[in-house]
Amino acid sequence: MLPFARISIIGLGLIGSSIARAVRQYMPTARLTGHDADPAVRDTAKRLDLCDDVTDTPGAAVIDADLVILCVPVGAMGALAEAIAADLPADAVVSDVGSSKAGVAAALKAALPHATIIPAHPVAGTENSGPEAGFATLFQKRWCILTPADDADAAAVARVEAFWRALGANVETMAPDHHDLVLAVTSHLPHLIAYTIVGTASDLEAVTRSEVIKYSAGGFRDFTRIAASDPVMWRDVFIANKDAVLDMLQRFSEDLTALQRAIRWGDGDALHDLFSRTRAIRRSIIEEGQDDERPDFGRSHE
Amino acid sequence: MLPFARISIIGLGLIGSSIARAVRQYMPTARLTGHDADPAVRDTAKRLDLCDDVTDTPGAAVIDADLVILCVPVGAMGALAEAIAADLPADAVVSDVGSSKAGVAAALKAALPHATIIPAHPVAGTENSGPEAGFATLFQKRWCILTPADDADAAAVARVEAFWRALGANVETMAPDHHDLVLAVTSHLPHLIAYTIVGTASDLEAVTRSEVIKYSAGGFRDFTRIAASDPVMWRDVFIANKDAVLDMLQRFSEDLTALQRAIRWGDGDALHDLFSRTRAIRRSIIEEGQDDERPDFGRSHE
């Protein structure tokens, strides 16, 4: 018994197209309708046969849906919700995949005051973007966080949870504000720092860009992966989750300043203390199946 | 014709034991002698048959060598050089693998004023440490940077270069000060930042350690890999390369502050501009063969 029979995906980038592929693979009898604002993406989606139907407007994509998943940058969620409002069936469940939740929930609620809205965030992705970058197993063993409002319909929450479990994800529920704080540290701050250091490295005078690239195996290359993520998506995340990101950034800067001082004064013990503490976290991440245990991310050394 | 026939490796951790394995594989007729200050590491090296002979003192390891490679933390190089001074053959070439070069060169020169010293830095490694973590192909297609003094013996430089090429590395020569600046940005600053953010994330009150681990696939886990690197090695690097690291850190902090301001004021264009610039660097790193082109570092998604 499928949790949903007629699924509509609006936004067919990395995440939307991965959901489409996963639905095809794990719920082959569900009917799948898609839309993307970009005509070129719609053409690609048709060529790849990602959905049973790709519509030219967002409204046409939702007209018969029992689940609508909005897979666009968080800054575009409100306008998209307004654009589907007139065509949305009364009994459809609306969900999304946004990386920040409190602001998105408010925008969806304002645009669709009578809809059943169950926001979600699958914590999964790669540095690539677009409909060709997606794949069906992206959500396997990753966490999907649901942030339903306190008065959300429990049956709808259960159906969205069943949907994500069918795609291979683990599911957790939390309050939107707490989600935004947790993701600020596990995702948003790391992206901000990676973007920053890659920018810093490309702006030096004394070290050439070619040297930065050649000797990147010393650690720098690890940062370039997430700094290659989608610019629009991430611009919107930082604007939408401003308070939590600024809070985490402040703590990070304080800790960095303390280390800076330790280096300046040659305080090796302070450095060693921190460097010894941080190993345990990686071990736990591997034990929990959230990263590859092979050294150097399993990179080839041949 | 081998560049060296009797090779001595002092320090049998990740790098030293990888050199030993690579010598076994690519120069099987070279005689290999090893030493490590830690008796447990010496026992492991014997059990793994990493060298033809593992000696109980550093002096005994170099007595017959034509190449001595010091593979210890940079803060230990000077004392180690003093410890081998009396036993070092007059015609032996002394090299090292330290991640900072100006300070190490000075320490080696002071301890071994009459020796032929050709400092080197293979820009390769994993987050693991110790003699069991090494492997023979670690240096394949990675860069090894030689930083000979201006008056260094050209024949000795050529032999050390031939040695590293035989191990599969690309070789570049540069001035020690320039090396230290380049590596400050491509290696030292990334490690410092990774250690810091992992520390920050483990010290929060509002977000639990278990949440940090569960949702680390949002980006954080990428940082935990290099923050799992050897604490003593990295303590020494930051102390030894203080000036260049503090210079790079200052630039990074300025850039981060500018982004912080852009977030606070909702300046999406400034964010988007930076986030669009940083993709190109990753593409170049992949084109130059310095990282895996598969998305998400080729992590398994099954």
Side-chain angles (χ1 to χ4, degrees):
Chain A
M1 184 67 183
L2 293 179
F4 298 98
R6 297 176 309 282
I7 298 163
S8 170
I9 302 173
I10 319 272
L12 295 167
L14 169 68
I15 301 297
S17 77
S18 291
I19 294 174
R21 289 173 170 94
V23 167
R24 290 277 209 211
Q25 180 155 332
Y26 303 112
M27 309 173 201
T29 60
R31 179 168 167 83
L32 200 51
T33 305
H35 169 76
D36 194 284
D38 181 345
V41 171
R42 295 201 295 270
D43 287 345
T44 303
K46 287 175 194 165
R47 178 169 53 76
L48 298 174
D49 196 27
L50 290 179
C51 304
D52 299 304
D53 192 19
V54 176
T55 65
D56 288 339
T57 66
V62 305
I63 209 152
D64 192 36
D66 58 1
L67 171 66
V68 176
I69 312 181
L70 310 181
C71 306
V72 298
V74 292
M77 293 282 183
L80 174 58
E82 283 170 20
I84 62 170
D87 295 302
L88 188 72
D91 60 350
V93 173
V94 176
S95 189
D96 74 300
V97 297
S99 300
S100 72
K101 299 267 57 103
V104 170
L108 298 185
K109 182 77 184 164
L112 305 166
H114 306 298
T116 304
I117 300 166
I118 313 293
H121 176 204
V123 186
T126 77
E127 65 275 30
N128 293 340
S129 312
E132 300 190 281
F135 50 97
T137 55
L138 179 61
F139 311 107
Q140 289 288 332
K141 294 183 196 153
R142 295 283 82 81
W143 286 92
C144 182
I145 303 173
L146 309 187
T147 60
D150 290 340
D151 61 352
D153 178 63
V157 174
R159 287 169 73 199
V160 174
E161 173 166 351
F163 174 82
W164 280 104
R165 290 200 189 277
L167 267 46
N170 306 318
V171 178
E172 187 66 84
T173 297
M174 61 177 78
D177 286 342
H178 188 63
H179 166 280
D180 289 355
L181 204 57
V182 171
L183 272 289
V185 66
T186 62
S187 180
H188 308 172
L189 182 60
H191 276 78
L192 191 69
I193 287 169
Y195 279 123
T196 305
I197 191 173
V198 175
T200 304
S202 18
D203 287 344
L204 300 171
E205 316 83 40
V207 178
T208 68
R209 203 180 177 96
S210 135
E211 287 173 320
V212 166
I213 290 162
K214 264 169 99 166
Y215 308 116
S216 62
F220 179 75
R221 63 177 175 174
D222 281 23
F223 291 70
T224 63
R225 187 187 78 78
I226 56 181
S229 301
D230 188 68
V232 173
M233 173 193 156
W234 282 99
R235 175 199 66 193
D236 283 9
V237 168
F238 294 118
I239 303 286
N241 199 22
K242 179 171 89 167
D243 293 341
V245 168
L246 290 178
D247 181 23
M248 291 302 163
L249 189 50
Q250 184 59 36
R251 287 160 180 267
F252 170 80
S253 295
E254 286 166 19
D255 292 347
L256 191 61
T257 300
L259 276 188
Q260 185 171 8
R261 190 171 186 284
I263 292 172
R264 195 176 298 283
W265 291 94
D267 184 354
D269 289 346
L271 299 175
H272 189 265
D273 282 354
L274 172 66
F275 300 172
S276 307
R277 278 201 298 131
T278 47
R279 267 191 167 172
I281 289 226
R282 174 136 193 99
R283 216 154 32 224
S284 304
I285 287 174
I286 290 167
E287 280 163 13
E288 302 255 326
Q290 294 302 313
D291 206 350
D292 200 317
E293 68 177 331
R294 292 173 299 165
D296 203 18
F297 295 132
R299 286 177 175 118
S300 164
H301 289 271
E302 296 306 323
Chain B
M1 185 65 184
L2 293 180
F4 298 98
R6 296 175 310 281
I7 298 162
S8 170
I9 302 172
I10 318 274
L12 294 167
L14 170 67
I15 301 297
S17 77
S18 291
I19 295 174
R21 289 173 170 94
V23 167
R24 290 277 210 211
Q25 179 156 331
Y26 304 112
M27 310 174 199
T29 58
R31 179 168 167 80
L32 201 51
T33 306
H35 170 76
D36 195 283
D38 181 343
V41 172
R42 296 201 295 268
D43 287 346
T44 304
K46 287 175 195 165
R47 179 169 53 75
L48 297 174
D49 196 27
L50 290 180
C51 305
D52 299 303
D53 192 18
V54 175
T55 65
D56 288 340
T57 67
V62 305
I63 209 153
D64 191 35
D66 57 1
L67 173 65
V68 176
I69 311 180
L70 310 182
C71 306
V72 298
V74 291
M77 292 283 185
L80 174 57
E82 283 170 21
I84 62 170
D87 294 303
L88 188 71
D91 60 350
V93 172
V94 176
S95 189
D96 74 302
V97 297
S99 300
S100 72
K101 300 266 55 106
V104 170
L108 297 185
K109 182 78 184 164
L112 305 167
H114 306 298
T116 303
I117 300 166
I118 313 293
H121 176 204
V123 185
T126 78
E127 66 274 30
N128 293 340
S129 313
E132 300 190 281
F135 50 97
T137 56
L138 179 61
F139 310 107
Q140 289 288 331
K141 296 183 196 151
R142 296 283 82 83
W143 287 92
C144 182
I145 302 173
L146 309 187
T147 60
D150 291 339
D151 60 352
D153 177 65
V157 174
R159 287 168 74 198
V160 173
E161 173 166 350
F163 173 82
W164 280 103
R165 290 200 189 276
L167 266 46
N170 306 318
V171 178
E172 187 66 85
T173 297
M174 61 176 77
D177 286 341
H178 188 64
H179 166 280
D180 290 354
L181 204 58
V182 171
L183 271 288
V185 66
T186 62
S187 180
H188 308 172
L189 182 61
H191 276 77
L192 190 69
I193 286 168
Y195 279 122
T196 305
I197 192 174
V198 176
T200 303
S202 21
D203 287 345
L204 300 170
E205 316 83 39
V207 178
T208 68
R209 203 179 176 98
S210 135
E211 287 173 321
V212 167
I213 290 161
K214 265 169 99 165
Y215 308 115
S216 61
F220 179 74
R221 62 177 175 174
D222 281 24
F223 291 70
T224 62
R225 187 186 77 79
I226 55 180
S229 302
D230 188 69
V232 173
M233 173 193 156
W234 283 99
R235 176 198 65 194
D236 283 9
V237 167
F238 294 119
I239 303 286
N241 199 23
K242 179 171 89 168
D243 293 341
V245 168
L246 290 177
D247 180 24
M248 292 301 164
L249 189 49
Q250 184 59 34
R251 287 161 179 268
F252 170 80
S253 295
E254 286 167 17
D255 292 347
L256 190 61
T257 300
L259 275 187
Q260 185 170 8
R261 191 172 186 284
I263 292 172
R264 194 175 299 282
W265 291 94
D267 183 354
D269 290 345
L271 299 175
H272 189 265
D273 282 354
L274 172 66
F275 300 173
S276 306
R277 278 203 296 130
T278 48
R279 269 192 164 171
I281 289 228
R282 174 136 194 99
R283 217 157 29 228
S284 304
I285 287 173
I286 290 167
E287 281 163 13
E288 303 256 325
Q290 294 302 313
D291 206 351
D292 200 317
E293 68 177 330
R294 292 173 301 166
D296 203 18
F297 295 131
R299 286 177 174 116
S300 164
H301 288 270
E302 296 305 325

